[in-house]
């Protein structure tokens, strides 16, 4: 029986592995090679330049501005998304306390799940158009219209270099919370309700239930969420392209590496230099994921 199982498993995995190698691994390897050339997308035999493209990155202010912005994204977007999503998930699953001898979510939790998840089904272009109207820099914008009624001057949410990146981060958090509410809700549903009910019978309040029971038993899910959100923080291309002024502006205040890669590759057609940026982004992302998994590793709690 065992001898017949291995051919079945190999045959079942052969096609997916082949597709992964062709469409994922192969492009990565090609990008690493192109990063060592001055290829402009036309010549069949690009000139090999070694590490010259990577050396130029050290003097590229737009590149370093994008790296700094990724740092801000890493520090702001994942924590905000996780905290908000955890709060909502807790309220939707056990925030209602005990009813009929069992833990329940707040009233209308099923409806709230659908509402929270709605931003996930919207295309990025739709989200961009929506928040362009919300962030409009005059009183016709939703936010500035409300501020005007309070007697506050309009704010240039997307045209002020000090506010533009934070405004886009707010959109990223808004769009991402719904998915992580569902993810954390799935993690909480796997925790036996008896654990919450026993703690509630012992007099544990919502604060204790959240910090002493929910968080420790949800740690693996939180770890996965942090890695996913960190990877998302190294992207941001679509929203920045749609919402930012002049593609990463004003004055490179919102630029990110994927946007710089796109502008370098399809503007002056410097595919070699753009690939060098892509390789740098690849190693930054891999390093972040590995460090996060290492730092947040802890003994698994069985229940």
């Amino acid at each position: 029986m065992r001898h017949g199982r291995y051919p079945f498993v190999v045959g079942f995995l052969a096609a997916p592995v082949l597709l992964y190698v062709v469409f994922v691994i192969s492009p990565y390897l090609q990008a690493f090679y192109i990063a060592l050339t001055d290829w402009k997308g036309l010549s069949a035999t690009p000139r090999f330049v070694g590490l010259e493209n990577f050396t130029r990155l050290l003097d590229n202010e737009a590149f370093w501005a994008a790296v700094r912005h990724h740092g801000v994204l890493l520090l702001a977007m994942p924590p905000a998304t996780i905290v908000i999503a955890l709060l909502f998930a807790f309220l939707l699953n056990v925030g209602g306390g005990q009813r009929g001898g069992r833990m329940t979510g707040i009233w209308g939790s099923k409806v709230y799940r659908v509402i929270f998840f709605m931003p996930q089904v919207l295309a990025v272009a739709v989200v961009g158009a929506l928040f362009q109207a919300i962030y409009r820099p005059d009183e016709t914008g939703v936010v500035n219209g409300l501020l005007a009624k309070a007697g506050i001057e309009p704010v240039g949410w997307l045209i002020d270099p000090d506010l533009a990146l934070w405004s886009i981060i707010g959109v990223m958090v808004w769009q991402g919370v719904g998915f992580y509410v569902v993810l954390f809700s799935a993690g909480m549903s796997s925790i036996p309700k008896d654990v919450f009910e026993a703690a509630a019978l012992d007099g544990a309040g919502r604060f204790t239930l959240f910090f002493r029971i929910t968080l420790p038993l949800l740690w693996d899910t939180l770890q996965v969420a942090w890695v996913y959100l960190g990877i998302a923080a190294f992207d941001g291309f679509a929203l920045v392209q749609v919402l930012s002024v002049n593609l990463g502006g004003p004055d490179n205040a919102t630029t990110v590496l994927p946007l710089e890669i796109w502008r370098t590759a399809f503007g002056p057609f410097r595919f070699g230099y753009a690939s060098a940026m892509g390789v740098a982004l690849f190693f930054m992302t891999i390093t972040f994921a590995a460090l996060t998994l290492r730092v947040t590793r802890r003994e698994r709690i069985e229940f």
Side-chain angles (χ1 to χ4, degrees):
M1 188 69 179
R2 180 176 295 180
H3 294 293
R5 182 177 62 184
Y6 292 121
F8 171 77
V9 172
V10 172
F12 187 79
L13 292 177
V17 170
L18 179 62
L19 290 173
Y20 187 82
V21 169
V22 172
F23 293 105
V24 179
I25 302 299
S26 176
Y28 274 127
L29 296 177
Q30 292 179 50
F32 294 155
Y33 168 70
I34 294 172
L36 302 175
T37 69
D38 64 349
W39 191 49
K40 296 186 179 296
L42 298 174
S43 60
T45 56
R47 184 171 63 91
F48 184 82
V49 296
L51 299 177
E52 181 179 329
N53 289 325
F54 295 96
T55 303
R56 290 179 182 174
L57 288 180
L58 300 177
D59 298 322
N60 188 335
E61 179 55 35
F63 170 80
W64 289 112
V67 171
R68 289 193 296 270
H69 297 156
H70 285 300
V72 174
L73 285 165
L74 279 174
L75 292 174
M77 194 263 286
T81 304
I82 288 175
V83 169
I84 296 172
L86 264 178
L87 174 62
F88 287 159
F90 180 78
L91 293 174
L92 294 179
N93 287 274
V94 295
Q98 280 195 331
R99 294 179 189 171
R102 57 188 295 270
M103 298 298 295
T104 60
I106 60 174
W107 183 86
S109 57
K110 293 182 179 179
V111 177
Y112 291 137
R113 283 190 179 94
V114 176
I115 294 174
F116 290 148
F117 194 74
M118 278 296 293
Q120 284 292 312
V121 303
L122 298 178
V124 175
V126 175
V127 173
L130 175 66
F131 276 89
Q132 280 177 344
I134 292 174
Y135 284 147
R136 199 168 295 156
D138 52 36
E139 294 184 7
T140 62
V142 175
V143 178
N144 281 324
L146 294 174
L147 293 177
K149 292 181 180 180
I152 301 175
E153 292 293 323
V155 178
W157 300 103
L158 296 174
I159 61 177
D160 186 338
D162 296 327
L163 293 176
L165 183 62
W166 294 103
S167 300
I168 294 175
I169 289 174
V171 180
M172 291 179 176
V173 173
W174 176 85
Q175 188 180 31
V177 161
F179 173 81
Y180 292 96
V181 168
V182 174
L183 179 66
F184 295 150
S185 295
M188 291 179 190
S189 65
S190 67
I191 301 173
K193 294 294 183 182
D194 296 344
V195 177
F196 292 107
E197 292 166 6
L201 289 173
D202 287 339
R206 287 183 174 87
F207 185 88
T208 302
L209 287 175
F210 183 76
F211 285 100
R212 301 298 295 273
I213 295 177
T214 304
L215 282 183
L217 296 180
L218 204 63
W219 188 259
D220 290 343
T221 307
L222 287 171
Q223 186 184 52
V224 171
W226 199 278
V227 172
Y228 281 1
L229 285 166
I231 293 173
F234 278 108
D235 183 13
F237 168 77
L239 277 177
V240 171
Q241 186 188 38
V242 174
L243 285 175
S244 64
V245 178
N246 296 326
L247 297 178
D251 298 328
N252 284 334
T254 60
T255 190
V256 289
L257 278 178
L259 183 62
E260 287 300 315
I261 293 169
W262 178 76
R263 290 199 298 190
T264 302
F266 298 101
F269 296 101
R270 299 169 64 189
F271 285 93
Y273 192 46
S275 294
M277 291 187 189
V279 170
L281 177 61
F282 170 80
F283 282 109
M284 278 189 263
T285 307
I286 291 294
T287 301
F288 165 80
L291 287 176
T292 301
L293 292 173
R294 174 63 180 172
V295 171
T296 60
R297 187 174 62 183
R298 58 180 292 177
E299 185 177 350
R300 183 180 178 85
I301 300 177
E302 300 290 343
F303 52 84

